[in-house]
Amino acid sequence: MKLVIAVIKPHKLDPVREALTEIGVSGLTASEVKGFGRQKGHTEIYRGAEYTVAFLPKVKIELVIPDDLVERTMETIRQTAETGQIGDGKIFVLDVERAMRIRTGEIGEEAL
Amino acid sequence: MKLVIAVIKPHKLDPVREALTEIGVSGLTASEVKGFGRQKGHTEIYRGAEYTVAFLPKVKIELVIPDDLVERTMETIRQTAETGQIGDGKIFVLDVERAMRIRTGEIGEEAL
Amino acid sequence: MKLVIAVIKPHKLDPVREALTEIGVSGLTASEVKGFGRQKGHTEIYRGAEYTVAFLPKVKIELVIPDDLVERTMETIRQTAETGQIGDGKIFVLDVERAMRIRTGEIGEEAL
Amino acid sequence: MLCFAHIGAALTLSLLLPLPAFAQDALNSGDTAWIIAATALVLFMTLPGLALFYAGLVRSQAVLSVVMQCFAIACLSSILWLVAGYSLAFGDSIAGWVGGLDKAFFSGVTSDVLSGSIPEIVFAMFQMAFAVITPALIVGAYPERMKFSAVLWMSSLWLLLVYAPVCHWVWGGGWLSEMGVMDFAGGIVVHATAGVSAIVIAMMLGARRGFPEQVRPPHNPGMTATGAAMLWVGWYGFNGGSQLAADGGAGMAIATTHIAAATAAIAWMAIEWIKFGKPSLVGAVTGVIAGLATVTPASGFIGPMGGLILGFTAGIVCFYAVQIVKFSLKIDDSLDVFAVHGVGGIIGSLLVSVLALAVFGGGGLAEGQTVIGQLGVQALGVGVTLVWSAGFTFLILKVTGALTGGLRVTEEQEIEGLDIAFHGESGYDLGR
Amino acid sequence: MLCFAHIGAALTLSLLLPLPAFAQDALNSGDTAWIIAATALVLFMTLPGLALFYAGLVRSQAVLSVVMQCFAIACLSSILWLVAGYSLAFGDSIAGWVGGLDKAFFSGVTSDVLSGSIPEIVFAMFQMAFAVITPALIVGAYPERMKFSAVLWMSSLWLLLVYAPVCHWVWGGGWLSEMGVMDFAGGIVVHATAGVSAIVIAMMLGARRGFPEQVRPPHNPGMTATGAAMLWVGWYGFNGGSQLAADGGAGMAIATTHIAAATAAIAWMAIEWIKFGKPSLVGAVTGVIAGLATVTPASGFIGPMGGLILGFTAGIVCFYAVQIVKFSLKIDDSLDVFAVHGVGGIIGSLLVSVLALAVFGGGGLAEGQTVIGQLGVQALGVGVTLVWSAGFTFLILKVTGALTGGLRVTEEQEIEGLDIAFHGESGYDLGR
Amino acid sequence: MLCFAHIGAALTLSLLLPLPAFAQDALNSGDTAWIIAATALVLFMTLPGLALFYAGLVRSQAVLSVVMQCFAIACLSSILWLVAGYSLAFGDSIAGWVGGLDKAFFSGVTSDVLSGSIPEIVFAMFQMAFAVITPALIVGAYPERMKFSAVLWMSSLWLLLVYAPVCHWVWGGGWLSEMGVMDFAGGIVVHATAGVSAIVIAMMLGARRGFPEQVRPPHNPGMTATGAAMLWVGWYGFNGGSQLAADGGAGMAIATTHIAAATAAIAWMAIEWIKFGKPSLVGAVTGVIAGLATVTPASGFIGPMGGLILGFTAGIVCFYAVQIVKFSLKIDDSLDVFAVHGVGGIIGSLLVSVLALAVFGGGGLAEGQTVIGQLGVQALGVGVTLVWSAGFTFLILKVTGALTGGLRVTEEQEIEGLDIAFHGESGYDLGR
Ligand SMILES: Nc1ncnc2c1ncn2[C@@H]1O[C@H](COP(=O)(O)OP(=O)(O)O)[C@@H](O)[C@H]1O
Ligand SMILES: Nc1ncnc2c1ncn2[C@@H]1O[C@H](COP(=O)(O)OP(=O)(O)O)[C@@H](O)[C@H]1O
Ligand SMILES: Nc1ncnc2c1ncn2[C@@H]1O[C@H](COP(=O)(O)OP(=O)(O)O)[C@@H](O)[C@H]1O
């Protein structure tokens, strides 16, 4: 099994979720994160004082999938999350050794 | 060392934390996440407009532990976090190559 | 490529980000987390009722870097994030199998 | 108001109360005390009341922009009211259609000139508070997608071309008041004008991204409820103050106002409970506002019974009006200005002709006026107001669009949210 | 109030001020102006004051449900007050225990009927605001775990069976007012009734999941402080308005009220500082409310000194009352309605017999009444009120439980939070 | 105020209005009604107005500490005002510099003693509300880094040593009022004293960690705007109430106040728009407060025109004052108390000598006084007040530092935030 971590633009979360369900992904976990990279942050000015906000709001999705689904998952995410603008984000893949479904105790791919 | 990632129901965080301390886990990191899976989300209605909330509030805990503790950790989390209801969550295990304690610079299992 | 996960004190985020940029890290993702470990939490008292807050606010940074940058990255984070006080946090390193830049579809180290 | 409230007051006070002889020709400190307090209450309705009511209903990325729009409109309207608005509304009538500029810059409105039993400056300020909230009500039509510059231009022109004239017709001694139209506190002047203009703007501006399926739910219903509560409290000044005296008429006005608000909220809750299985807070407070808007034109002319009837009607009719506008007509009048304020104000302005009758506990119609006759006047007043408001709003938007290079923000700005895009601020920084 | 405040007013105004001859038999526009404003202030106490005060103290998953309960109770109580409540409280007395239905639907309360120097409709609305806040105070006893339907049934029955009668006894010319009980603004009528009922409900409903160790801390103390501040400001209308006139008596009432609030807050802060090492905001504002509740029955009868003494007592006694109820008796009166309002109201209702004496700067007791004698009357009034309130609340809960198939929500609903479970809304959507 | 507002009132009321004969020597219920309401409005300015205005501007980890400081100062000041403050300000003058202790504990201020046409107890409470907000204004100078104990000591001493005497000079019949200084509602007494003291404190306390580059932006601008709106509404009571009557003078005071606020906000917005490309909400509401502070000393003496001019001046001058203090002088007067309140109050106190002239629609200067003459008196008043306030604040801080073992919190406490470090609470618990 693999853990796919994708950092995307917040308004792309729902489209990506829907696209992934269609290719048979059973579940995923999302969290709000702050991203720093090539995309510039913005500056806020209060009473003349400038505050540079280096981090931009992003959403991180994490999903564990069977090895054979990795290709399609990455492709799906890429196509759905892409806007062509700088700041679209990244996809990373890590290896997962074990998985378990808490409710049933099932392990391995059954747990997904 | 292994990184154990568990996604659980929010009100199970404290019980799990206590149970883990008892079996000798020295620390962990938790974060609020939104989960999507078999468990249905709910719909909110404002002035007649329906909003389907696909994601449910979950808590993700991440802890790095020595290899020999993996079994007991997974068991402990499963037992404590289980409610038998759909949506109890998952446990994933990944391999960790290195660890370091910032305060002391200790590395490896000493860092945990 | 490696995934470096560091849990640090919140007010160290900006210094660490700046230090990492200097050594050539192209980007990173940060999130607000709650940490539990050796450092004691605090208690809040409302109308005489004590609430022990076991978790402390921490910031988790995740960055994927080329293998050769791991040493310097860990050192940089350690030096910048250290206060010498208990609770300074940890650094973990995991292996990353694949990476992709959503905007361009570039893969591997080009994606970083 | 001027004219009718006074008849109202007259009706009320006549005979039964031994009135201090100088009541109408000298300063009455009690009346003055109440109208000054009422003025503060009406200002409180807009700032922070309406601002919070609306701001809680939008996405968190636009919360500040909504508050900012309310503040900016309040400031602009105040200045414009001083400069010309008050005079256009209450200056010497030009053929009954608009006031002259004789009172521009409040000229002649010194602290020792009276209007009835209160200083005219107090009356002018009370009216200013109305001129502040009316254009601000329209903010609910265009949140999250209109350029700030366009908001300012449009609101300013609207105040002078729509609000001031209609205010003159009804309260400034214009043609409608000549005909004896009944609008105690602004069903026509405030709610009908704002409501119909909101629809026009929503149609010309277009819907929010993703409307109707994809729009985000209200980001802070508690903020909305807080604002609604402030509007409710402030409305005591809005309707009770329109009596322009501290007497039983003012008391009855707050009674009918309060009862209508409470009844409408219960009706709205009931419908949601039946239709959706759950009564919501946003629904309940929307009912409150619907009841308040609906009772406004009638508040000083009717009795508690009338309040019950208007409140009940408001709760039901406005609920379905929202559904029709949003889901049948697919018009993104985002915060339902027309369905709640417009529809409510119109209902109230028509039903007052019936509910003012003594049988319903009302103060009765003017000497020798019949229900049918009054209904005709009311219908005419509402009709002409709707046409005038819609027409001028259309023109104003055309002009504004030209002045600001389009009314609408870019898609990027809408996605990022107006707070950062137009004001360089973010609403909540709650992290460490 | 009716009876005593007038004596109060009399005491105050007599002799020294040259009163306009018609003071008591004609409309006084100044008094009317103040009471209308006071009515708005008292409504403001509940909406949004009390709603925010309570909502900030619960978990974020129940914030809306608390606000919703306050709104719904406010609306229901208003209608019930119009329909029957006002008449049960102020209608022709039936043997001194309850009013008749002669004033049902405010019949006879037209805008030209006076009550003292103000229109009766204004008096009726002022009283309505009291009828709105009293059942809403009880919301603090059962947050996060009571069915919404049960809340509505219970509050409605409670208004008619507990509030209205007790209000009649004390202010409506009932048996307690015959005996000369002193309750200027509601120590017995408002705080004692609500406080003891809260305890009964908390015991019958059971504690929140995980009480006492595991309950979550207040989710938004700033919201609670905002509500407390609004309650403080509104209390000027609550106590000052109970004078039913704009005179020195009203002025003295707000003075004693303000001083008691400030003193109680300081006392509470001091205790926390000593006991826990840190004075908390939640503690300080709880002290404010304790002081306000405690001074309420006495506010118009005492002087500044009395305010200091009552405030100091309130801060200390109520602090320990909270500890006893929650941690000794283990009763989850979640937001401390009994310990703060009940205990405060009782203390004030008893101490007024002493502090009303001229030596403490008070206005004195009624002609020929002694401290012991007055104390007896007060104790009797408090005692009977506690028994009546507790008894009927018990019965009402039994009936309500039967009507709603149990008072309590399921554990799942409690965990998920009432906002989503019962109203289909969430309090904060601050994410992107 | 006492003296001048009365002349103001006189000017206003004289001749043209047929005054009830007993106007100045008997209770006027209308005037009393307004001043009681005004007192509630001024209390509302501090709680929750000012508390929210300031709390929204700090980091989320210090939001509660700011609200707590406002509450604690309000409570302490109220008690001190009762005990001695009122007497030091309004007791029998000792050589024109301070009042005696004859009115300590409000002795002699019974409910039947009049001050002008209102009960003295009402006047004393109205003044108490001023004594509450003035030291609370200074909270903006030292948020996030001053020990709570130091805040309490300093504020208490400041009230007695700075506020009370200056209040006596100007309003209590002291030397400045003898010279005919014009300060309608507190440009000198409130804003100049608080403003200059703020700067002194900021300098002695030192800047926040990371100032100026690294400080966090306002954590909740919407909260700040809500507070600003409440301040605006409450200011009607602050300035309008200072007329001490419900008449045209009070009406004109709220008119000039409102117009100045609106104009200053627009001016501030315009500057930001030009300079930074975006007008911000925080900027707009800061402009509102600048306009209100600036018009305060003049509000009852000038006309609408004067309001426009003062508002415009305030918006521009205060904007640049902020830049100079923060970025040129690098003084961390964190929430700009001096730049906004101090500078505003001073400008208004000087310009009133010109704008009070009839040509600007003002009520004119006192009999036989010239602009130059008046300007001299104003300048002297401002000058002496600044020196006195700065000097005593310096001494008070030295004493306080000694009493509390240093004024400043530790770096750890500052990083963790004062909410947890000093009050054991956290502002927002919005998680599951
Ligand atoms: N090396 C990295 N490790 C982890 N996250 C990264 C890394 N580089 C970028 N990111 C995340 O991806 C987001 C987008 O990256 P950015 O460089 O701004 O644009 P793009 O991906 O289009 O080149 C960043 O905001 C950050 O959250
Ligand atoms: N494949 C997955 N990868 C990552 N997280 C998952 C995955 N499947 C489920 N989750 C997380 O686990 C939670 C519970 O999963 P769900 O399918 O709803 O119930 P259950 O685990 O009982 O089958 C989800 O809300 C989601 O946060
Ligand atoms: N085994 C672990 N796995 C994951 N995170 C950990 C682990 N141990 C500690 N942490 C994180 O590091 C933070 C600091 O650890 P702590 O033991 O408190 O101090 P120190 O790192 O100085 O020994 C904790 O708050 C927690 O977020």
Side-chain angles (χ1 to χ4, degrees), chain D residues 9-84:
Chain D
L11 290 171
T12 316
L13 298 173
S14 55
L15 311 164
L16 285 130
L17 305 187
L19 272 183
F22 51 73
Q24 294 312 305
D25 55 17
L27 178 86
N28 178 315
S29 65
D31 295 346
T32 305
W34 166 230
I35 304 310
I36 295 178
T39 304
L41 284 168
V42 181
L43 174 61
F44 184 59
M45 288 173 71
T46 310
L47 302 175
L50 186 68
L52 294 174
F53 179 68
Y54 279 166
L57 293 171
V58 300
R59 291 163 59 218
S60 62
Q61 297 84 348
V63 56
L64 301 183
S65 67
V66 170
V67 176
M68 179 66 160
Q69 287 164 4
C70 292
F71 260 94
I73 289 171
C75 295
L76 271 179
S77 302
S78 301
I79 307 302
L80 291 170
W81 189 250
L82 168 70
V83 173

Side-chain angles (χ1 to χ4, degrees), chain E residues 6 22-29 31-32 114-119 244-245:
Chain E
H6 274 175
F22 49 74
Q24 293 313 303
D25 55 16
L27 178 87
N28 178 316
S29 65
D31 295 346
T32 305
L114 293 186
S115 156
S117 63
I118 65 171
L244 296 176

Side-chain angles (χ1 to χ4, degrees), chain D residues 105-199:
Chain D
F105 286 96
F106 284 6
S107 74
V109 188
T110 54
S111 53
D112 43 24
V113 175
L114 294 185
S115 156
S117 63
I118 64 172
E120 184 175 357
I121 185 69
V122 172
F123 173 74
M125 288 305 294
F126 181 65
Q127 286 296 323
M128 181 188 278
F130 279 62
V132 159
I133 196 168
T134 309
L137 286 174
I138 306 176
V139 166
Y142 52 74
E144 305 195 31
R145 61 197 191 281
M146 194 166 181
K147 284 181 187 167
F148 187 59
S149 53
V151 169
L152 301 186
W153 276 109
M154 184 194 67
S155 305
S156 305
L157 293 169
W158 192 89
L159 184 75
L160 299 175
L161 298 175
V162 178
Y163 183 77
V166 177
C167 181
H168 180 76
W169 305 348
V170 179
W171 293 336
W175 67 277
L176 276 170
S177 70
E178 288 299 323
M179 295 180 66
V181 75
M182 296 171 83
D183 187 2
F184 193 74
I188 294 173
V189 178
V190 174
H191 300 286
T193 54
V196 67
S197 304
I199 275 283

Side-chain angles (χ1 to χ4, degrees), chain B residues 2-4 25-30 61-66 100-104 106 110-112, chain C residues 5-9 33-40 54-59 84-92:
Chain B
K2 304 294 178 190
L3 165 62
V4 176
V25 167
S26 58
L28 57 82
T29 301
I61 60 178
E62 295 168 293
L63 59 165
V64 175
I65 51 176
M100 177 188 271
R101 182 193 310 276
I102 291 174
R103 173 165 46 94
T104 57
E106 291 162 278
E110 281 61 44
L112 304 185
Chain C
I5 302 177
V7 179
I8 61 176
K9 288 185 168 162
V33 297
K34 298 184 294 181
F36 172 75
R38 280 168 191 64
Q39 184 187 11
K40 297 263 143 302
F55 287 96
L56 293 154
K58 300 281 170 184
V59 164
Q85 308 285 328
I86 201 161
D88 276 350
K90 318 279 185 193
I91 305 174
F92 305 119

Side-chain angles (χ1 to χ4, degrees), chain F residues 205-255:
Chain F
L205 190 61
R208 285 166 293 174
R209 264 184 85 249
F211 173 86
E213 296 75 20
Q214 301 296 333
V215 285
R216 283 282 279 269
H219 89 282
N220 195 337
M223 177 182 273
T224 294
T226 304
M230 292 171 170
L231 282 162
W232 189 345
V233 172
W235 227 291
Y236 275 42
F238 197 87
N239 289 358
S242 293
Q243 172 75 353
L244 296 176
D247 57 22
M252 188 55 78
I254 64 167

Side-chain angles (χ1 to χ4, degrees), chain C residues 32-77:
Chain C
E32 307 212 326
V33 297
K34 298 184 294 181
F36 172 75
R38 280 168 191 64
Q39 184 187 11
K40 297 263 143 302
H42 62 271
T43 56
E44 303 183 2
I45 303 184
Y46 296 92
R47 294 184 177 177
E50 293 213 2
Y51 303 94
T52 19
V53 181
F55 287 96
L56 293 154
K58 300 281 170 184
V59 164
K60 179 176 75 172
I61 60 178
E62 294 169 293
L63 59 166
V64 174
I65 50 176
D67 302 14
D68 53 28
L69 217 68
V70 173
E71 284 304 335
R72 293 191 52 205
T73 302
M74 289 178 76
E75 245 336 285
T76 310
I77 295 177

Side-chain angles (χ1 to χ4, degrees), chain D residues 281-365:
Chain D
L281 176 60
V282 167
V285 301
T286 306
V288 166
I289 303 305
L292 291 166
T294 305
V295 77
T296 294
S299 50
F301 302 128
I302 63 177
M305 260 321 152
L308 270 178
I309 298 169
L310 280 178
F312 187 73
T313 317
I316 293 171
V317 177
C318 293
F319 176 87
Y320 285 102
V322 170
Q323 315 306 313
I324 291 165
V325 173
K326 278 246 177 80
F327 310 114
S328 309
L329 306 181
K330 298 239 179 301
I331 299 172
D332 186 18
D333 173 9
S334 309
L335 311 182
D336 307 303
V337 182
F338 176 75
V340 172
H341 293 275
V343 172
I346 293 168
I347 298 172
S349 300
L350 298 177
L351 291 188
V352 63
S353 349
V354 181
L355 298 174
L357 297 180
V359 296
F360 293 104
L365 299 175

